[in-house]
Structures are given as C-alpha cells and as structure tokens.
Amino acid sequence: FFYNSIVIPLFDENGNIVSLYGRNITQKKHLYLKGPHRGLVNRQGAYSTEKLILTESIIDAISLYEMGIRTVIPCYGTNGFTFNHEELFKNNRIKEVELAFDSDEAGIKGSIAAASELEKLGVETITRPNLPDGIKDINDFVTFNLNIRQFAQDVVETTEDAEFVKQFYKALSGVTILDPTCGSGAFLFAALNILEPLYEATIERMKD
C-alpha cells in the first residue's frame, strides 16, 4: 500500500503511533490507512504558544518545520480539520491561527472551511501566505528557484506579528554552519552573506 512512498507516523496525545500517512513519490498521491483520520504531526508545536500555523498538507508543515518554524501543524487536506485538531487547540488555549493552505480553488475553499471551524472554537484566523504567481503551496515555494533569503527578509520587515519575529530570531540563533569542504572558508562567508541581513532585519524589528 505504501510502496514507493514517504511514510510519516501520526501520534496521539500520549506519543503513541495511531496511524500512518504516505506520499507516493512517483504518482504524488496522498495515502492514508482506512477509517477516520487519527493522530497529528508535530502536536508539540502547540504546547508553548498561543499562535499556530495550520497548513493544508503534512509535507508543507514539514517543509516549514525544517526551515526552523516549529509552531506549525498540518491538516489532512482541504477537509482534513479533525476532532484531534479541535481537542489540541482547546486544550492548549490557542488564540490565533495562520492558515497556509494552497493557492488553488480547493485550497481557498478549504481555508474558508477551516476558518469557520476555528471561529466556533473562539480562535482568530489569518489567511496567509500571499504566494507568488505560479506557486501552488508552501512546499513548491520552498523547493522553487526563488530568493528565499529576500522573501524571509521582506516578511520580517513587514509583519505586524511580534511573536513571529521573536520565533524567527530564535530559529536564526539556532542555526549552525559547517563547511562541508573544510577549505578556505568561502562557504562560510557565503552563508554569512545570507544570514547577516536576516539578523539585522530581525534585530531592527525587535527594537520596534
């Protein structure tokens, strides 16, 4: 069933694996075990914050997580906001959710539906991000040949979300650079040229 697929475990509140998600890497299909969706990915992302990012897919959430954004939890598609999500948000008193669904028609409708469910829980919703033309989702954006550094800097410089700036600085502070060639240090200088503008922009926003 999960042949030729990336398989990701889904966990309950006690850390037990209760289901599996698969993404076929050749046919690009989403695969789930039979029955209702159970378990969540990155449940711990809700434990120490009042704000979360909710993505349409698990792969999108993992892409953001790998970029250092830890407060992200995925749905199971456009209609994949489940009882487990509701329970997690209520138990951890989540107050605000940024919806990062796909930019296509299905994603827009799914975002509206998720916002409706969240409003019933008393959670404020923000629809993000405004993806460039031709980019369908978060994962496409991350893997597309775009200037990610400039995009991140633009977001930091324009956002009104102080918590986002704080978390972004925390993620930057945790970055470790290793030179894979152990050579002249050119790789380290290239990394510095990317990170320095982000540090400067983040520090300036934190002063505000």
Side-chain angles (χ1 to χ4, degrees), residues 63-205:
S63 293
L64 290 177
Y65 189 93
E66 286 300 307
M67 291 176 66
I69 300 173
R70 301 296 189 238
T71 55
V72 57
I73 292 176
C75 284
Y76 303 120
T78 54
N79 296 309
F81 187 80
T82 69
F83 172 75
N84 289 150
H85 291 95
E86 292 183 13
E87 189 176 53
L88 179 71
F89 289 7
K90 285 191 293 186
N91 290 344
N92 290 277
R93 299 179 181 178
I94 300 301
K95 294 182 178 180
E96 184 177 290
V97 169
E98 294 191 17
L99 299 169
F101 280 41
D102 293 2
S103 61
D104 58 9
E105 183 178 353
I108 293 171
K109 289 182 178 179
S111 182
I112 293 171
S116 177
E117 293 299 317
L118 288 164
E119 286 171 6
K120 294 176 184 177
L121 301 176
V123 177
E124 181 182 353
T125 58
I126 301 173
T127 301
R128 297 182 188 273
N130 295 319
L131 296 173
D133 291 341
I135 305 298
K136 178 187 175 184
D137 57 32
I138 295 294
N139 194 57
D140 281 351
F141 180 78
V142 171
T143 57
F144 203 69
N145 187 24
L146 296 174
N147 189 336
I148 301 296
R149 197 275 302 163
Q150 186 61 57
F151 173 78
Q153 184 175 340
D154 290 345
V155 171
V156 169
E157 290 176 344
T158 58
T159 184
E160 299 299 325
D161 188 344
E163 181 64 22
F164 173 84
V165 176
K166 177 182 176 181
Q167 292 299 325
F168 190 83
Y169 179 78
K170 184 177 179 181
L172 276 179
S173 300
V175 171
T176 301
I177 306 297
L178 298 176
D179 187 344
T181 63
C182 297
S184 64
F187 177 85
L188 298 179
F189 279 108
L192 178 63
N193 288 334
I194 293 173
L195 292 173
E196 186 176 19
L198 294 177
Y199 269 108
E200 290 179 352
T202 306
I203 290 172
E204 285 301 315
R205 289 311 309 276

Side-chain angles (χ1 to χ4, degrees), residues 18-100:
V18 292
S19 191
L20 298 171
Y21 162 79
R23 178 68 180 268
N24 189 286
I25 60 176
T26 54
Q27 300 177 10
K28 296 186 178 180
K29 289 184 177 180
H30 300 278
L31 305 172
Y32 299 95
L33 298 179
K34 291 183 178 180
H37 295 311
R38 298 177 59 207
L40 294 172
V41 172
N42 195 33
R43 177 185 295 272
Q44 61 271 26
Y47 290 168
S48 59
T49 183
E50 295 181 343
K51 300 180 180 180
L52 281 175
I53 298 173
L54 188 66
T55 64
E56 180 177 324
S57 77
I58 291 174
I59 298 298
D60 287 345
I62 291 175
S63 293
L64 290 177
Y65 189 93
E66 286 300 307
M67 291 176 66
I69 300 173
R70 301 296 189 238
T71 55
V72 57
I73 292 176
C75 284
Y76 303 120
T78 54
N79 296 309
F81 187 80
T82 69
F83 172 75
N84 289 150
H85 291 95
E86 292 183 13
E87 189 176 53
L88 179 71
F89 289 7
K90 285 191 293 186
N91 290 344
N92 290 277
R93 299 179 181 178
I94 300 301
K95 294 182 178 180
E96 184 177 290
V97 169
E98 294 191 17
L99 299 169

